[in-house]
Amino acid sequence: MSRESQTALPGKPDQPELPGKLPDHLRAELIAFRRDLHMHPELGHQEVRTTAAIKARLEQAGLRPRVLKSGTGLICDVGTRDGGRPMLALRADIDALPIPDAKVHVEYRSTIPDRAHACGHDVHTSVVLGAGLVLAELDRQGLLPNPVRLLFQPAEEVLPGGASDAIESGVLDGVGKIIAVHCDPRVDSGRIGLRAGPITSACDRLEVTLAGPGGHTARPHLTTDLVTAAARVAVDVPAVLARRLDARSGMSVTWGRIESGHACNVIPMHAELSGTVRCLDINAWHEAPDQIHAAIDEIATLHGAKSEITYVRGVPPVVNDPVVTELLRESMAARLGAESIEDTEQSLGGEDFSWYLEDVPGAMARLGVRKPGDTTKKDLHRGDFDVDESAIGVGVEFFTAAALLDGRVEARFDAHRGRSAG
């Protein structure tokens, strides 16, 4: 039995069909909205146009969005808090990546050079916007049991992530739990992936500068051979860590840039390396800076180089709360049936959604965006990334179901826990 299956509650009553289906006209509008965002991607902390577009559509629906103190991103509450019950927050990230859009056969290709929505944040944004519009209509009909907060967060791709700034600005005030989706090109549209417990890894940034006197390539014995030193750091640091940390921690140091020298016959005086540190285990994540500093210093010293290390804390792992994960499971089952849910593994990707979970319980689901029947291997953060846009409607109805079922699952879980304790 999987970990996710073990969290299922006994005696779940059959649910009647939920309201909150996405009407066809709004489905088409959200696809158009996503395509507009895709054509105009904006980097973290620069999402001015994106923020304005979201704000305008929410105001058109009679809602009152509030732009965050940072100037980009916003929150918007749907419904009225009558009993002071904490709200459910639906979170979307709104920023793009600094890479070119490599798609050539779609009309919504990015119009901004070297900028692309290559991680699906335009889809996440459209899903939360659509859920907000549907929930606002349900609220007008008296069918929304509890208020919901829409959270459109900037700068997810900028370590340590815009979530920290959003939290400091008060986006979690009055929030009792938070949910999100992330596009997954390995999962078919119409399906989601769920996992209770850790679903992503910690992710930090590492910058290393090596220095030495340099010299002529004819006499490397009279120099500090920084090219060799940099190569040894790149190769040996991961190997050293593999023997100093528990292999189950999933520690991974991967270099994305190595730079040194300008001429083939000159040993340079400087070398630079930069990369990421990823870790599946939160305890090993806390140990990582000291262990990595020690390993780099030892290898650099062995080759006569001086090292300067900049270690930038990024994000801890996203750890899905079991009760909120059960809410997501029941919400998807209510919409598309239990067969639309699949178990998913913990990935080495980082997500600043984890910072919200330091304060309130929550869970993230993997939203399938692969066209059913497509066997092409695809991944995130690639210039040719694209989605099956029917996933937007799936995400909207998934989130509206969660808003409608919120409270029922928790109450049943508490009752079951009380019976077990008795």
Side-chain angles (χ1 to χ4, degrees), residues 283-308:
N283 293 321
W285 180 64
H286 289 303
E287 296 179 27
D290 290 341
Q291 294 281 5
I292 289 172
H293 271 78
I296 292 172
D297 285 341
E298 288 176 19
I299 295 166
T301 299
L302 180 64
H303 292 274
K306 295 180 179 179
S307 61
E308 181 179 330

Side-chain angles (χ1 to χ4, degrees), residues 42-92:
E42 297 174 301
L43 300 183
H45 300 300
Q46 300 174 22
E47 311 96 332
V48 176
R49 183 186 185 278
T50 302
T51 299
I54 300 166
K55 182 173 182 288
R57 184 61 183 92
L58 292 171
E59 289 176 338
Q60 182 185 339
L63 298 171
R64 297 180 178 179
R66 293 166 281 164
V67 176
L68 302 183
K69 294 178 182 178
S70 60
T72 61
L74 66 154
I75 60 173
C76 182
D77 294 345
V78 181
T80 304
R81 295 184 67 196
D82 289 331
R85 188 177 186 278
M87 289 180 286
L88 172 69
L90 315 180
R91 177 268 200 170

Side-chain angles (χ1 to χ4, degrees), residues 76-141:
C76 182
D77 294 345
V78 181
T80 304
R81 295 184 67 196
D82 289 331
R85 188 177 186 278
M87 289 180 286
L88 172 69
L90 315 180
R91 177 268 200 170
D93 35 13
I94 65 175
D95 58 324
L97 285 162
I99 63 175
D101 191 338
K103 298 187 296 296
V104 295
H105 299 300
V106 296
E107 61 185 15
Y108 49 85
R109 185 172 182 265
S110 172
T111 61
I112 312 299
D114 300 320
R115 302 286 186 270
H117 269 294
C119 201
H121 294 187
D122 51 342
V123 173
H124 307 164
T125 300
S126 301
V127 165
V128 173
L129 174 64
L133 297 176
V134 172
L135 292 172
E137 179 59 32
L138 291 177
D139 185 50
R140 283 188 284 271
Q141 298 173 23

Side-chain angles (χ1 to χ4, degrees), residues 253-269:
V253 176
T254 304
W255 306 102
R257 184 181 70 92
I258 302 179
E259 187 173 337
S260 185
H262 299 283
C264 66
N265 61 345
V266 178
I267 294 175
M269 299 174 65

Side-chain angles (χ1 to χ4, degrees), residues 25-352:
H25 70 89
L26 185 52
R27 189 184 308 271
E29 179 189 343
L30 292 173
I31 290 174
F33 189 89
R34 178 258 170 176
R35 292 184 176 189
D36 179 71
L37 295 185
H38 202 85
M39 293 173 65
H40 302 92
E42 297 174 301
L43 300 183
H45 300 300
Q46 300 174 22
E47 311 96 332
V48 176
R49 183 186 185 278
T50 302
T51 299
I54 300 166
K55 182 173 182 288
R57 184 61 183 92
L58 292 171
E59 289 176 338
Q60 182 185 339
L63 298 171
R64 297 180 178 179
R66 293 166 281 164
V67 176
L68 302 183
K69 294 178 182 178
S70 60
T72 61
L74 66 154
I75 60 173
C76 182
D77 294 345
V78 181
T80 304
R81 295 184 67 196
D82 289 331
R85 188 177 186 278
M87 289 180 286
L88 172 69
L90 315 180
R91 177 268 200 170
D93 35 13
I94 65 175
D95 58 324
L97 285 162
I99 63 175
D101 191 338
K103 298 187 296 296
V104 295
H105 299 300
V106 296
E107 61 185 15
Y108 49 85
R109 185 172 182 265
S110 172
T111 61
I112 312 299
D114 300 320
R115 302 286 186 270
H117 269 294
C119 201
H121 294 187
D122 51 342
V123 173
H124 307 164
T125 300
S126 301
V127 165
V128 173
L129 174 64
L133 297 176
V134 172
L135 292 172
E137 179 59 32
L138 291 177
D139 185 50
R140 283 188 284 271
Q141 298 173 23
L143 298 176
L144 182 63
N146 296 297
V148 173
R149 173 163 293 166
L150 315 177
L151 167 53
F152 299 90
Q153 178 214 303
E156 189 276 331
E157 298 287 357
V158 182
L159 288 178
S164 297
D165 292 337
I167 292 168
E168 288 182 8
S169 70
V171 300
L172 292 181
D173 293 348
V175 170
K177 60 177 71 73
I178 187 168
I179 59 176
V181 293
H182 198 296
C183 290
D184 192 334
R186 303 164 303 169
V187 178
D188 283 351
S189 180
R191 300 176 63 82
I192 64 164
L194 284 179
R195 175 185 175 89
I199 193 171
T200 70
S201 82
C203 180
D204 300 333
R205 189 175 78 241
L206 180 61
E207 306 280 347
V208 181
T209 300
L210 302 178
H216 201 296
T217 56
R219 291 176 287 279
H221 59 290
L222 301 179
T223 73
T224 295
D225 187 351
L226 284 184
V227 173
T228 296
R232 295 319 312 176
V233 167
V235 173
D236 292 345
V237 166
V240 168
L241 293 172
R243 291 297 177 266
R244 294 185 179 176
L245 293 169
D246 190 327
R248 294 169 295 182
S249 69
M251 174 72 72
S252 172
V253 176
T254 304
W255 306 102
R257 184 181 70 92
I258 302 179
E259 187 173 337
S260 185
H262 299 283
C264 66
N265 61 345
V266 178
I267 294 175
M269 299 174 65
H270 298 279
E272 296 179 353
L273 303 90
S274 59
T276 59
V277 180
R278 300 178 187 271
C279 189
L280 298 177
D281 179 75
I282 195 164
N283 293 321
W285 180 64
H286 289 303
E287 296 179 27
D290 290 341
Q291 294 281 5
I292 289 172
H293 271 78
I296 292 172
D297 285 341
E298 288 176 19
I299 295 166
T301 299
L302 180 64
H303 292 274
K306 295 180 179 179
S307 61
E308 181 179 330
I309 303 165
T310 301
Y311 194 106
V312 180
R313 272 301 197 193
V315 294
V318 171
V319 182
N320 282 347
D321 178 81
V323 178
V324 184
T325 304
E326 181 66 17
L327 169 63
L328 297 184
R329 181 177 297 279
E330 292 199 22
S331 300
M332 191 63 176
R335 290 303 193 199
L336 292 176
E339 64 277 6
S340 66
I341 305 164
E342 59 185 65
D343 294 342
T344 191
E345 76 283 356
Q346 184 180 7
S347 79
L348 279 170
E351 237 291 349
D352 74 352

